[in-house]
Amino acid sequence: MRIEGSVALVTGANRGLGRCFAAALLDRGAAKVYAAARRPETVDLPGVVPLALDITDPASVRAAAERARDVDLLINNAGVSTGSSFVTGALDDIRLEMETHYFGTLAMAREFAPVLGGNGGGAILNVLSVLSWFTAPQVAGYSAAKAAALQLTNGLRLELREQGTLVTALHVGYMDTDMAAHVDGPKIDPAEVADRALRGIEQGSFEVVADDVSRQVRAMLSGDVAGLYPQLAS
């Protein structure tokens, strides 16, 4: 797939990685970029088409798919992080994580798959995380939702193959965005992540592993569980 001349829709495009995706798409010559957000008035990037969208609301998703019938690239970026653990976290927060990252992404894929198919196949990029492979108590709800989204991505890849739709997973650790403002330590520039992901789409990649921490965790998956969680060995 070529980004130049494409029509893209980016969810959560008013800030952070989503805004970087929208900007990178314009820089690469996309013909149109729908910048979707719950509050489209917060979209401040010149050249995009603001679009009202709440991915946890099926009616909102349907309305977006009806309006954006020309899309051939869907970037499922919208997310939420509540910092919920399994035992002490609020159950409503854990449900919100799953409603957003799993069911919201599923709703977008179901509504836009026929649109993409009608426009020649196109591509879907699902923004996942290193935490789809790894977890910790303070991010347990988020991690479980991203792990579910990983298997959703795998399933969509198989189901949409016949209509010619590429489905790509993006894995990344902490980025220098508002969502990770509380985190001390190395963070990758979201503009760099967006650039790597778009290059991956153009190369037909099923997976883009955008940073060192994600590559390290990916390499450890074939080992013993205690390799990922050394505290279990003590």
Side-chain angles (χ1 to χ4, degrees), residues 33-180:
V33 178
Y34 292 99
R38 291 190 182 193
R39 296 171 53 210
E41 68 274 12
T42 63
V43 174
D44 62 357
L45 183 66
V48 300
V49 180
L51 179 67
L53 174 61
D54 178 354
I55 67 169
T56 66
D57 179 355
S60 179
V61 174
R62 283 194 297 273
E66 284 298 321
R67 179 178 173 189
R69 303 295 298 176
D70 49 353
V71 165
D72 55 13
L73 171 58
L74 171 62
I75 298 181
N76 287 312
N77 163 76
V80 63
S81 178
T82 67
S84 297
S85 69
F86 287 141
V87 177
T88 61
L91 195 56
D92 284 348
D93 286 343
I94 295 172
R95 285 197 175 102
L96 176 61
E97 302 267 19
M98 196 65 73
E99 286 289 343
T100 303
H101 298 123
Y102 178 72
F103 287 108
T105 301
L106 175 60
M108 290 294 294
R110 288 168 66 95
E111 290 293 340
F112 277 91
V115 174
L116 296 172
N119 292 329
I124 297 174
L125 175 73
N126 288 340
V127 177
L128 302 179
S129 170
V130 66
L131 294 174
S132 62
W133 296 321
F134 176 81
T135 194
Q138 66 272 22
V139 292
Y142 181 91
S143 179
K146 287 296 190 181
L150 171 57
Q151 292 309 318
L152 168 61
T153 302
N154 290 333
L156 289 172
R157 190 177 291 130
L158 297 173
E159 286 195 49
L160 299 181
R161 178 177 177 274
E162 288 190 5
Q163 74 171 39
T165 299
L166 171 71
V167 181
T168 301
L170 170 63
H171 293 275
V172 63
Y174 288 120
M175 292 176 284
D176 191 11
T177 64
D178 292 345
M179 186 178 286

Side-chain angles (χ1 to χ4, degrees), residues 204-218:
S205 302
F206 295 126
E207 181 180 77
V208 175
V209 184
D211 62 347
D212 289 341
V213 67
S214 297
R215 283 186 283 271
Q216 291 164 5
V217 171
R218 179 98 165 68

Side-chain angles (χ1 to χ4, degrees), residues 185-233:
K187 302 175 193 177
I188 191 170
D189 183 348
E192 186 176 346
V193 174
D195 181 67
R196 292 179 182 181
L198 294 180
R199 276 192 279 120
I201 291 170
E202 289 193 313
Q203 293 166 1
S205 302
F206 295 126
E207 181 180 77
V208 175
V209 184
D211 62 347
D212 289 341
V213 67
S214 297
R215 283 186 283 271
Q216 291 164 5
V217 171
R218 179 98 165 68
M220 296 173 70
L221 293 177
S222 61
D224 186 81
V225 171
L228 276 175
Y229 305 102
Q231 62 270 42
L232 297 178

